[in-house]
């Protein structure tokens, strides 16, 4: 409610240099029912004022708001575009750019955040843990846990992100959509072997 009141006040303010005003509303799908308070402003904004609402999920935006807006759909970046941006703007090496691109799942903000924090190959950390879990190598699992405890919070977060991404790819093997899988060749082999051992219910349980 406070945020909606703040937005309303901003829209009513005069332009500093007297030109057009643009109000960006990020996460418009989180406005909830409180968004109804903006209906009048959206329908009849002050002169020379443009309201741009950005949301990843149109279905969560109130229908009363959607009906008053002109909708534009922005396609996600292609893997090639994300890789190029990581290499050109983050100075990432090509191999790192490929791995980060797969983890980002088309989200450029996520890709940049991962590229800034990633200083290791998480597949080399996660896959041995999977193998030790399967073989029941308790000593190796304890050693692995101690190793991860020494990671920075950022590295631990990215390891979890990678792990969840890897596990989400497994059901695609089960339903015959291998061409949709976003994993490297080494990871593909491990994922294929693991998917043969687990049912979809078990994979969901792990996640």
């Amino acid at each position: 409610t406070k945020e909606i009141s703040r937005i309303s006040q901003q829209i009513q303010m005069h332009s500093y240099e007297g030109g057009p005003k643009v109000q960006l509303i990020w996460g418009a799908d989180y406005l909830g029912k409180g968004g109804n308070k903006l209906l009048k402003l959206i329908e009849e904004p002050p002169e020379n004022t443009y309201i741009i609402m950005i949301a990843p999920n149109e279905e969560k935006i109130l229908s009363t708001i959607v009906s008053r807006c002109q909708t534009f759909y922005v396609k996600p970046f292609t893997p090639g575009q994300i890789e190029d941006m990581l290499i050109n703007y983050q100075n990432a090496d090509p191999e790192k750019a490929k791995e980060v691109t797969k983890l980002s799942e088309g989200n450029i903000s996520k890709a940049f955040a991962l590229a800034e924090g990633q200083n290791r190959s998480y597949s080399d950390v996660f896959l041995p843990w999977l193998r030790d879990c399967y073989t029941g190598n308790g000593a190796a699992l304890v050693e692995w846990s101690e190793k991860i405890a020494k990671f920075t919070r950022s590295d631990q977060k990215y390891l979890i992100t990678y792990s969840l991404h890897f596990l989400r790819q497994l059901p695609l093997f089960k339903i015959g959509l291998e061409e949709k899988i976003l994993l490297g060749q080494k990871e593909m082999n491990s994922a294929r072997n693991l998917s043969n051992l687990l049912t979809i219910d078990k994979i969901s349980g792990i996640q």
Side-chain angles (χ1 to χ4, degrees), residues 121-156:
S121 172
Y122 294 104
S123 62
D124 291 339
V125 179
F126 179 67
L127 295 180
W129 174 79
L130 274 182
R131 286 192 290 270
D132 290 333
C133 286
Y134 179 69
T135 59
N137 190 338
L141 290 172
V142 170
E143 183 179 343
W144 187 90
S145 299
E146 293 173 346
K147 176 182 177 181
I148 300 306
K150 296 177 182 178
F151 280 17
T152 64
R153 288 178 63 87
S154 178
D155 274 338
Q156 290 175 348

PDB file of all heavy atoms in Angstrom, residues 121-156:
ATOM      1  N   SER A 121      33.927 -24.180 -11.334  1.00  0.00           N
ATOM      2  CA  SER A 121      32.984 -25.003 -12.093  1.00  0.00           C
ATOM      3  C   SER A 121      32.138 -25.782 -11.099  1.00  0.00           C
ATOM      4  O   SER A 121      32.640 -26.668 -10.398  1.00  0.00           O
ATOM      5  CB  SER A 121      33.738 -25.973 -13.017  1.00  0.00           C
ATOM      6  OG  SER A 121      32.838 -26.881 -13.597  1.00  0.00           O
ATOM      7  N   TYR A 122      30.859 -25.455 -11.021  1.00  0.00           N
ATOM      8  CA  TYR A 122      30.006 -26.094 -10.026  1.00  0.00           C
ATOM      9  C   TYR A 122      29.658 -27.526 -10.401  1.00  0.00           C
ATOM     10  O   TYR A 122      29.300 -28.317  -9.534  1.00  0.00           O
ATOM     11  CB  TYR A 122      28.753 -25.244  -9.798  1.00  0.00           C
ATOM     12  CG  TYR A 122      29.099 -23.917  -9.174  1.00  0.00           C
ATOM     13  CD1 TYR A 122      29.098 -22.751  -9.927  1.00  0.00           C
ATOM     14  CD2 TYR A 122      29.486 -23.846  -7.849  1.00  0.00           C
ATOM     15  CE1 TYR A 122      29.460 -21.544  -9.360  1.00  0.00           C
ATOM     16  CE2 TYR A 122      29.845 -22.639  -7.273  1.00  0.00           C
ATOM     17  CZ  TYR A 122      29.832 -21.495  -8.034  1.00  0.00           C
ATOM     18  OH  TYR A 122      30.223 -20.296  -7.476  1.00  0.00           O
ATOM     19  N   SER A 123      29.780 -27.855 -11.680  1.00  0.00           N
ATOM     20  CA  SER A 123      29.545 -29.244 -12.063  1.00  0.00           C
ATOM     21  C   SER A 123      30.618 -30.144 -11.451  1.00  0.00           C
ATOM     22  O   SER A 123      30.343 -31.278 -11.055  1.00  0.00           O
ATOM     23  CB  SER A 123      29.544 -29.387 -13.587  1.00  0.00           C
ATOM     24  OG  SER A 123      30.799 -29.034 -14.136  1.00  0.00           O
ATOM     25  N   ASP A 124      31.843 -29.632 -11.344  1.00  0.00           N
ATOM     26  CA  ASP A 124      32.933 -30.415 -10.755  1.00  0.00           C
ATOM     27  C   ASP A 124      32.766 -30.591  -9.244  1.00  0.00           C
ATOM     28  O   ASP A 124      33.403 -31.448  -8.636  1.00  0.00           O
ATOM     29  CB  ASP A 124      34.284 -29.742 -11.033  1.00  0.00           C
ATOM     30  CG  ASP A 124      34.667 -29.807 -12.505  1.00  0.00           C
ATOM     31  OD1 ASP A 124      34.132 -30.678 -13.212  1.00  0.00           O
ATOM     32  OD2 ASP A 124      35.488 -28.975 -12.945  1.00  0.00           O
ATOM     33  N   VAL A 125      31.904 -29.780  -8.653  1.00  0.00           N
ATOM     34  CA  VAL A 125      31.620 -29.890  -7.221  1.00  0.00           C
ATOM     35  C   VAL A 125      30.382 -30.748  -6.990  1.00  0.00           C
ATOM     36  O   VAL A 125      30.366 -31.617  -6.105  1.00  0.00           O
ATOM     37  CB  VAL A 125      31.413 -28.486  -6.599  1.00  0.00           C
ATOM     38  CG1 VAL A 125      31.079 -28.613  -5.098  1.00  0.00           C
ATOM     39  CG2 VAL A 125      32.649 -27.631  -6.799  1.00  0.00           C
ATOM     40  N   PHE A 126      29.354 -30.519  -7.802  1.00  0.00           N
ATOM     41  CA  PHE A 126      28.065 -31.174  -7.586  1.00  0.00           C
ATOM     42  C   PHE A 126      28.039 -32.631  -8.038  1.00  0.00           C
ATOM     43  O   PHE A 126      27.507 -33.502  -7.327  1.00  0.00           O
ATOM     44  CB  PHE A 126      26.975 -30.387  -8.313  1.00  0.00           C
ATOM     45  CG  PHE A 126      25.601 -30.982  -8.195  1.00  0.00           C
ATOM     46  CD1 PHE A 126      24.945 -31.031  -6.971  1.00  0.00           C
ATOM     47  CD2 PHE A 126      24.965 -31.499  -9.315  1.00  0.00           C
ATOM     48  CE1 PHE A 126      23.676 -31.576  -6.866  1.00  0.00           C
ATOM     49  CE2 PHE A 126      23.695 -32.050  -9.214  1.00  0.00           C
ATOM     50  CZ  PHE A 126      23.058 -32.086  -7.991  1.00  0.00           C
ATOM     51  N   LEU A 127      28.606 -32.925  -9.210  1.00  0.00           N
ATOM     52  CA  LEU A 127      28.518 -34.284  -9.750  1.00  0.00           C
ATOM     53  C   LEU A 127      29.224 -35.330  -8.874  1.00  0.00           C
ATOM     54  O   LEU A 127      28.680 -36.419  -8.665  1.00  0.00           O
ATOM     55  CB  LEU A 127      29.056 -34.315 -11.183  1.00  0.00           C
ATOM     56  CG  LEU A 127      28.241 -33.499 -12.198  1.00  0.00           C
ATOM     57  CD1 LEU A 127      28.849 -33.603 -13.586  1.00  0.00           C
ATOM     58  CD2 LEU A 127      26.789 -33.941 -12.216  1.00  0.00           C
ATOM     59  N   PRO A 128      30.417 -35.041  -8.332  1.00  0.00           N
ATOM     60  CA  PRO A 128      31.022 -36.014  -7.414  1.00  0.00           C
ATOM     61  C   PRO A 128      30.151 -36.271  -6.183  1.00  0.00           C
ATOM     62  O   PRO A 128      30.087 -37.402  -5.683  1.00  0.00           O
ATOM     63  CB  PRO A 128      32.349 -35.349  -7.023  1.00  0.00           C
ATOM     64  CG  PRO A 128      32.690 -34.483  -8.187  1.00  0.00           C
ATOM     65  CD  PRO A 128      31.366 -33.940  -8.643  1.00  0.00           C
ATOM     66  N   TRP A 129      29.473 -35.233  -5.707  1.00  0.00           N
ATOM     67  CA  TRP A 129      28.572 -35.401  -4.554  1.00  0.00           C
ATOM     68  C   TRP A 129      27.437 -36.366  -4.909  1.00  0.00           C
ATOM     69  O   TRP A 129      27.076 -37.226  -4.102  1.00  0.00           O
ATOM     70  CB  TRP A 129      28.004 -34.048  -4.146  1.00  0.00           C
ATOM     71  CG  TRP A 129      26.966 -34.122  -3.065  1.00  0.00           C
ATOM     72  CD1 TRP A 129      27.178 -34.269  -1.723  1.00  0.00           C
ATOM     73  CD2 TRP A 129      25.547 -34.077  -3.253  1.00  0.00           C
ATOM     74  NE1 TRP A 129      25.972 -34.306  -1.048  1.00  0.00           N
ATOM     75  CE2 TRP A 129      24.955 -34.192  -1.960  1.00  0.00           C
ATOM     76  CE3 TRP A 129      24.720 -33.939  -4.363  1.00  0.00           C
ATOM     77  CZ2 TRP A 129      23.581 -34.175  -1.771  1.00  0.00           C
ATOM     78  CZ3 TRP A 129      23.345 -33.929  -4.175  1.00  0.00           C
ATOM     79  CH2 TRP A 129      22.788 -34.041  -2.894  1.00  0.00           C
ATOM     80  N   LEU A 130      26.891 -36.216  -6.128  1.00  0.00           N
ATOM     81  CA  LEU A 130      25.829 -37.128  -6.565  1.00  0.00           C
ATOM     82  C   LEU A 130      26.320 -38.573  -6.587  1.00  0.00           C
ATOM     83  O   LEU A 130      25.634 -39.487  -6.134  1.00  0.00           O
ATOM     84  CB  LEU A 130      25.336 -36.739  -7.959  1.00  0.00           C
ATOM     85  CG  LEU A 130      24.247 -35.670  -8.071  1.00  0.00           C
ATOM     86  CD1 LEU A 130      23.880 -35.464  -9.540  1.00  0.00           C
ATOM     87  CD2 LEU A 130      23.020 -36.049  -7.269  1.00  0.00           C
ATOM     88  N   ARG A 131      27.526 -38.767  -7.140  1.00  0.00           N
ATOM     89  CA  ARG A 131      28.074 -40.123  -7.222  1.00  0.00           C
ATOM     90  C   ARG A 131      28.308 -40.711  -5.838  1.00  0.00           C
ATOM     91  O   ARG A 131      28.015 -41.887  -5.583  1.00  0.00           O
ATOM     92  CB  ARG A 131      29.376 -40.106  -8.024  1.00  0.00           C
ATOM     93  CG  ARG A 131      29.173 -39.925  -9.524  1.00  0.00           C
ATOM     94  CD  ARG A 131      30.453 -40.208 -10.300  1.00  0.00           C
ATOM     95  NE  ARG A 131      31.448 -39.165 -10.076  1.00  0.00           N
ATOM     96  CZ  ARG A 131      31.543 -38.074 -10.833  1.00  0.00           C
ATOM     97  NH1 ARG A 131      30.720 -37.882 -11.845  1.00  0.00           N
ATOM     98  NH2 ARG A 131      32.470 -37.183 -10.583  1.00  0.00           N
ATOM     99  N   ASP A 132      28.802 -39.893  -4.909  1.00  0.00           N
ATOM    100  CA  ASP A 132      29.054 -40.379  -3.545  1.00  0.00           C
ATOM    101  C   ASP A 132      27.743 -40.705  -2.827  1.00  0.00           C
ATOM    102  O   ASP A 132      27.683 -41.640  -2.020  1.00  0.00           O
ATOM    103  CB  ASP A 132      29.844 -39.338  -2.750  1.00  0.00           C
ATOM    104  CG  ASP A 132      31.278 -39.198  -3.249  1.00  0.00           C
ATOM    105  OD1 ASP A 132      31.808 -40.190  -3.794  1.00  0.00           O
ATOM    106  OD2 ASP A 132      31.866 -38.113  -3.096  1.00  0.00           O
ATOM    107  N   CYS A 133      26.696 -39.917  -3.116  1.00  0.00           N
ATOM    108  CA  CYS A 133      25.376 -40.216  -2.538  1.00  0.00           C
ATOM    109  C   CYS A 133      24.875 -41.571  -3.032  1.00  0.00           C
ATOM    110  O   CYS A 133      24.337 -42.378  -2.256  1.00  0.00           O
ATOM    111  CB  CYS A 133      24.374 -39.123  -2.904  1.00  0.00           C
ATOM    112  SG  CYS A 133      24.594 -37.567  -2.026  1.00  0.00           S
ATOM    113  N   TYR A 134      25.040 -41.818  -4.332  1.00  0.00           N
ATOM    114  CA  TYR A 134      24.549 -43.056  -4.922  1.00  0.00           C
ATOM    115  C   TYR A 134      25.309 -44.272  -4.398  1.00  0.00           C
ATOM    116  O   TYR A 134      24.723 -45.320  -4.116  1.00  0.00           O
ATOM    117  CB  TYR A 134      24.663 -42.991  -6.450  1.00  0.00           C
ATOM    118  CG  TYR A 134      24.194 -44.255  -7.137  1.00  0.00           C
ATOM    119  CD1 TYR A 134      22.853 -44.608  -7.144  1.00  0.00           C
ATOM    120  CD2 TYR A 134      25.110 -45.110  -7.757  1.00  0.00           C
ATOM    121  CE1 TYR A 134      22.419 -45.764  -7.763  1.00  0.00           C
ATOM    122  CE2 TYR A 134      24.679 -46.274  -8.375  1.00  0.00           C
ATOM    123  CZ  TYR A 134      23.341 -46.599  -8.371  1.00  0.00           C
ATOM    124  OH  TYR A 134      22.924 -47.756  -8.978  1.00  0.00           O
ATOM    125  N   THR A 135      26.626 -44.132  -4.234  1.00  0.00           N
ATOM    126  CA  THR A 135      27.441 -45.261  -3.768  1.00  0.00           C
ATOM    127  C   THR A 135      27.450 -45.386  -2.253  1.00  0.00           C
ATOM    128  O   THR A 135      27.952 -46.365  -1.712  1.00  0.00           O
ATOM    129  CB  THR A 135      28.884 -45.123  -4.272  1.00  0.00           C
ATOM    130  OG1 THR A 135      29.451 -43.888  -3.792  1.00  0.00           O
ATOM    131  CG2 THR A 135      28.930 -45.142  -5.798  1.00  0.00           C
ATOM    132  N   GLY A 136      26.902 -44.376  -1.570  1.00  0.00           N
ATOM    133  CA  GLY A 136      26.866 -44.430  -0.108  1.00  0.00           C
ATOM    134  C   GLY A 136      28.230 -44.240   0.523  1.00  0.00           C
ATOM    135  O   GLY A 136      28.525 -44.806   1.578  1.00  0.00           O
ATOM    136  N   ASN A 137      29.073 -43.428  -0.106  1.00  0.00           N
ATOM    137  CA  ASN A 137      30.423 -43.171   0.403  1.00  0.00           C
ATOM    138  C   ASN A 137      30.357 -42.107   1.486  1.00  0.00           C
ATOM    139  O   ASN A 137      30.528 -40.909   1.233  1.00  0.00           O
ATOM    140  CB  ASN A 137      31.326 -42.724  -0.756  1.00  0.00           C
ATOM    141  CG  ASN A 137      32.788 -42.672  -0.357  1.00  0.00           C
ATOM    142  OD1 ASN A 137      33.113 -42.576   0.825  1.00  0.00           O
ATOM    143  ND2 ASN A 137      33.667 -42.739  -1.335  1.00  0.00           N
ATOM    144  N   GLY A 138      30.101 -42.533   2.714  1.00  0.00           N
ATOM    145  CA  GLY A 138      29.919 -41.605   3.822  1.00  0.00           C
ATOM    146  C   GLY A 138      31.118 -40.730   4.093  1.00  0.00           C
ATOM    147  O   GLY A 138      30.983 -39.524   4.342  1.00  0.00           O
ATOM    148  N   ALA A 139      32.319 -41.300   4.045  1.00  0.00           N
ATOM    149  CA  ALA A 139      33.529 -40.533   4.324  1.00  0.00           C
ATOM    150  C   ALA A 139      33.701 -39.400   3.311  1.00  0.00           C
ATOM    151  O   ALA A 139      34.045 -38.265   3.671  1.00  0.00           O
ATOM    152  CB  ALA A 139      34.749 -41.455   4.289  1.00  0.00           C
ATOM    153  N   ALA A 140      33.435 -39.721   2.048  1.00  0.00           N
ATOM    154  CA  ALA A 140      33.574 -38.696   1.005  1.00  0.00           C
ATOM    155  C   ALA A 140      32.526 -37.598   1.177  1.00  0.00           C
ATOM    156  O   ALA A 140      32.804 -36.421   0.928  1.00  0.00           O
ATOM    157  CB  ALA A 140      33.433 -39.336  -0.377  1.00  0.00           C
ATOM    158  N   LEU A 141      31.318 -37.973   1.616  1.00  0.00           N
ATOM    159  CA  LEU A 141      30.266 -36.985   1.810  1.00  0.00           C
ATOM    160  C   LEU A 141      30.596 -36.031   2.955  1.00  0.00           C
ATOM    161  O   LEU A 141      30.319 -34.827   2.879  1.00  0.00           O
ATOM    162  CB  LEU A 141      28.933 -37.692   2.079  1.00  0.00           C
ATOM    163  CG  LEU A 141      28.323 -38.426   0.890  1.00  0.00           C
ATOM    164  CD1 LEU A 141      27.116 -39.242   1.326  1.00  0.00           C
ATOM    165  CD2 LEU A 141      27.933 -37.441  -0.207  1.00  0.00           C
ATOM    166  N   VAL A 142      31.200 -36.568   4.017  1.00  0.00           N
ATOM    167  CA  VAL A 142      31.616 -35.710   5.135  1.00  0.00           C
ATOM    168  C   VAL A 142      32.701 -34.743   4.664  1.00  0.00           C
ATOM    169  O   VAL A 142      32.674 -33.545   4.962  1.00  0.00           O
ATOM    170  CB  VAL A 142      32.130 -36.562   6.312  1.00  0.00           C
ATOM    171  CG1 VAL A 142      32.782 -35.668   7.371  1.00  0.00           C
ATOM    172  CG2 VAL A 142      30.986 -37.355   6.925  1.00  0.00           C
ATOM    173  N   GLU A 143      33.651 -35.274   3.899  1.00  0.00           N
ATOM    174  CA  GLU A 143      34.721 -34.433   3.367  1.00  0.00           C
ATOM    175  C   GLU A 143      34.156 -33.349   2.452  1.00  0.00           C
ATOM    176  O   GLU A 143      34.588 -32.196   2.483  1.00  0.00           O
ATOM    177  CB  GLU A 143      35.722 -35.305   2.602  1.00  0.00           C
ATOM    178  CG  GLU A 143      36.922 -34.539   2.077  1.00  0.00           C
ATOM    179  CD  GLU A 143      37.899 -35.444   1.347  1.00  0.00           C
ATOM    180  OE1 GLU A 143      37.822 -36.683   1.521  1.00  0.00           O
ATOM    181  OE2 GLU A 143      38.747 -34.908   0.593  1.00  0.00           O
ATOM    182  N   TRP A 144      33.171 -33.734   1.642  1.00  0.00           N
ATOM    183  CA  TRP A 144      32.532 -32.777   0.728  1.00  0.00           C
ATOM    184  C   TRP A 144      31.835 -31.676   1.520  1.00  0.00           C
ATOM    185  O   TRP A 144      31.946 -30.493   1.180  1.00  0.00           O
ATOM    186  CB  TRP A 144      31.527 -33.523  -0.135  1.00  0.00           C
ATOM    187  CG  TRP A 144      30.900 -32.701  -1.237  1.00  0.00           C
ATOM    188  CD1 TRP A 144      31.351 -32.538  -2.510  1.00  0.00           C
ATOM    189  CD2 TRP A 144      29.682 -31.946  -1.147  1.00  0.00           C
ATOM    190  NE1 TRP A 144      30.507 -31.734  -3.221  1.00  0.00           N
ATOM    191  CE2 TRP A 144      29.472 -31.350  -2.415  1.00  0.00           C
ATOM    192  CE3 TRP A 144      28.756 -31.710  -0.130  1.00  0.00           C
ATOM    193  CZ2 TRP A 144      28.383 -30.536  -2.682  1.00  0.00           C
ATOM    194  CZ3 TRP A 144      27.670 -30.902  -0.400  1.00  0.00           C
ATOM    195  CH2 TRP A 144      27.486 -30.329  -1.660  1.00  0.00           C
ATOM    196  N   SER A 145      31.124 -32.058   2.580  1.00  0.00           N
ATOM    197  CA  SER A 145      30.411 -31.076   3.410  1.00  0.00           C
ATOM    198  C   SER A 145      31.372 -30.081   4.042  1.00  0.00           C
ATOM    199  O   SER A 145      31.093 -28.874   4.106  1.00  0.00           O
ATOM    200  CB  SER A 145      29.608 -31.788   4.501  1.00  0.00           C
ATOM    201  OG  SER A 145      28.642 -32.650   3.946  1.00  0.00           O
ATOM    202  N   GLU A 146      32.502 -30.583   4.496  1.00  0.00           N
ATOM    203  CA  GLU A 146      33.500 -29.701   5.110  1.00  0.00           C
ATOM    204  C   GLU A 146      34.082 -28.735   4.078  1.00  0.00           C
ATOM    205  O   GLU A 146      34.369 -27.574   4.375  1.00  0.00           O
ATOM    206  CB  GLU A 146      34.606 -30.542   5.750  1.00  0.00           C
ATOM    207  CG  GLU A 146      34.125 -31.346   6.957  1.00  0.00           C
ATOM    208  CD  GLU A 146      35.183 -32.300   7.478  1.00  0.00           C
ATOM    209  OE1 GLU A 146      36.188 -32.530   6.755  1.00  0.00           O
ATOM    210  OE2 GLU A 146      35.014 -32.824   8.601  1.00  0.00           O
ATOM    211  N   LYS A 147      34.247 -29.221   2.868  1.00  0.00           N
ATOM    212  CA  LYS A 147      34.756 -28.387   1.781  1.00  0.00           C
ATOM    213  C   LYS A 147      33.767 -27.268   1.449  1.00  0.00           C
ATOM    214  O   LYS A 147      34.149 -26.098   1.290  1.00  0.00           O
ATOM    215  CB  LYS A 147      35.023 -29.249   0.549  1.00  0.00           C
ATOM    216  CG  LYS A 147      35.470 -28.476  -0.686  1.00  0.00           C
ATOM    217  CD  LYS A 147      35.651 -29.423  -1.869  1.00  0.00           C
ATOM    218  CE  LYS A 147      36.024 -28.674  -3.140  1.00  0.00           C
ATOM    219  NZ  LYS A 147      36.172 -29.595  -4.296  1.00  0.00           N
ATOM    220  N   ILE A 148      32.477 -27.616   1.359  1.00  0.00           N
ATOM    221  CA  ILE A 148      31.452 -26.635   1.010  1.00  0.00           C
ATOM    222  C   ILE A 148      31.295 -25.593   2.117  1.00  0.00           C
ATOM    223  O   ILE A 148      30.995 -24.429   1.864  1.00  0.00           O
ATOM    224  CB  ILE A 148      30.098 -27.326   0.740  1.00  0.00           C
ATOM    225  CG1 ILE A 148      30.233 -28.313  -0.415  1.00  0.00           C
ATOM    226  CG2 ILE A 148      29.011 -26.307   0.423  1.00  0.00           C
ATOM    227  CD1 ILE A 148      30.805 -27.730  -1.684  1.00  0.00           C
ATOM    228  N   ALA A 149      31.499 -26.011   3.358  1.00  0.00           N
ATOM    229  CA  ALA A 149      31.379 -25.087   4.492  1.00  0.00           C
ATOM    230  C   ALA A 149      32.391 -23.953   4.395  1.00  0.00           C
ATOM    231  O   ALA A 149      32.180 -22.871   4.955  1.00  0.00           O
ATOM    232  CB  ALA A 149      31.566 -25.848   5.802  1.00  0.00           C
ATOM    233  N   LYS A 150      33.484 -24.168   3.664  1.00  0.00           N
ATOM    234  CA  LYS A 150      34.532 -23.149   3.511  1.00  0.00           C
ATOM    235  C   LYS A 150      34.263 -22.222   2.336  1.00  0.00           C
ATOM    236  O   LYS A 150      34.975 -21.236   2.143  1.00  0.00           O
ATOM    237  CB  LYS A 150      35.892 -23.826   3.340  1.00  0.00           C
ATOM    238  CG  LYS A 150      36.334 -24.623   4.559  1.00  0.00           C
ATOM    239  CD  LYS A 150      37.650 -25.336   4.305  1.00  0.00           C
ATOM    240  CE  LYS A 150      38.061 -26.172   5.506  1.00  0.00           C
ATOM    241  NZ  LYS A 150      39.328 -26.913   5.250  1.00  0.00           N
ATOM    242  N   PHE A 151      33.239 -22.542   1.529  1.00  0.00           N
ATOM    243  CA  PHE A 151      32.870 -21.668   0.413  1.00  0.00           C
ATOM    244  C   PHE A 151      32.321 -20.350   0.959  1.00  0.00           C
ATOM    245  O   PHE A 151      31.798 -20.295   2.073  1.00  0.00           O
ATOM    246  CB  PHE A 151      31.773 -22.314  -0.442  1.00  0.00           C
ATOM    247  CG  PHE A 151      32.265 -23.354  -1.412  1.00  0.00           C
ATOM    248  CD1 PHE A 151      33.512 -23.930  -1.284  1.00  0.00           C
ATOM    249  CD2 PHE A 151      31.466 -23.757  -2.471  1.00  0.00           C
ATOM    250  CE1 PHE A 151      33.958 -24.895  -2.182  1.00  0.00           C
ATOM    251  CE2 PHE A 151      31.897 -24.708  -3.381  1.00  0.00           C
ATOM    252  CZ  PHE A 151      33.149 -25.279  -3.236  1.00  0.00           C
ATOM    253  N   THR A 152      32.417 -19.310   0.176  1.00  0.00           N
ATOM    254  CA  THR A 152      31.747 -18.062   0.534  1.00  0.00           C
ATOM    255  C   THR A 152      30.242 -18.254   0.387  1.00  0.00           C
ATOM    256  O   THR A 152      29.778 -19.181  -0.276  1.00  0.00           O
ATOM    257  CB  THR A 152      32.192 -16.913  -0.392  1.00  0.00           C
ATOM    258  OG1 THR A 152      31.768 -17.208  -1.742  1.00  0.00           O
ATOM    259  CG2 THR A 152      33.704 -16.741  -0.373  1.00  0.00           C
ATOM    260  N   ARG A 153      29.475 -17.370   1.014  1.00  0.00           N
ATOM    261  CA  ARG A 153      28.013 -17.459   0.900  1.00  0.00           C
ATOM    262  C   ARG A 153      27.585 -17.349  -0.561  1.00  0.00           C
ATOM    263  O   ARG A 153      26.643 -18.015  -0.995  1.00  0.00           O
ATOM    264  CB  ARG A 153      27.358 -16.344   1.729  1.00  0.00           C
ATOM    265  CG  ARG A 153      27.458 -16.559   3.235  1.00  0.00           C
ATOM    266  CD  ARG A 153      26.828 -15.396   3.978  1.00  0.00           C
ATOM    267  NE  ARG A 153      25.414 -15.288   3.700  1.00  0.00           N
ATOM    268  CZ  ARG A 153      24.461 -15.929   4.370  1.00  0.00           C
ATOM    269  NH1 ARG A 153      24.799 -16.765   5.340  1.00  0.00           N
ATOM    270  NH2 ARG A 153      23.194 -15.759   4.078  1.00  0.00           N
ATOM    271  N   SER A 154      28.294 -16.521  -1.305  1.00  0.00           N
ATOM    272  CA  SER A 154      27.966 -16.359  -2.722  1.00  0.00           C
ATOM    273  C   SER A 154      28.179 -17.659  -3.479  1.00  0.00           C
ATOM    274  O   SER A 154      27.336 -18.085  -4.272  1.00  0.00           O
ATOM    275  CB  SER A 154      28.817 -15.246  -3.338  1.00  0.00           C
ATOM    276  OG  SER A 154      28.543 -15.099  -4.706  1.00  0.00           O
ATOM    277  N   ASP A 155      29.319 -18.325  -3.237  1.00  0.00           N
ATOM    278  CA  ASP A 155      29.612 -19.585  -3.915  1.00  0.00           C
ATOM    279  C   ASP A 155      28.604 -20.668  -3.520  1.00  0.00           C
ATOM    280  O   ASP A 155      28.199 -21.485  -4.347  1.00  0.00           O
ATOM    281  CB  ASP A 155      31.028 -20.056  -3.595  1.00  0.00           C
ATOM    282  CG  ASP A 155      32.058 -19.434  -4.528  1.00  0.00           C
ATOM    283  OD1 ASP A 155      31.675 -19.004  -5.622  1.00  0.00           O
ATOM    284  OD2 ASP A 155      33.239 -19.379  -4.161  1.00  0.00           O
ATOM    285  N   GLN A 156      28.214 -20.686  -2.253  1.00  0.00           N
ATOM    286  CA  GLN A 156      27.224 -21.662  -1.806  1.00  0.00           C
ATOM    287  C   GLN A 156      25.885 -21.428  -2.504  1.00  0.00           C
ATOM    288  O   GLN A 156      25.213 -22.372  -2.916  1.00  0.00           O
ATOM    289  CB  GLN A 156      27.048 -21.567  -0.287  1.00  0.00           C
ATOM    290  CG  GLN A 156      28.260 -22.070   0.497  1.00  0.00           C
ATOM    291  CD  GLN A 156      28.099 -21.854   1.986  1.00  0.00           C
ATOM    292  OE1 GLN A 156      27.207 -21.150   2.444  1.00  0.00           O
ATOM    293  NE2 GLN A 156      28.998 -22.448   2.767  1.00  0.00           N
TER     294      GLN A 156
END
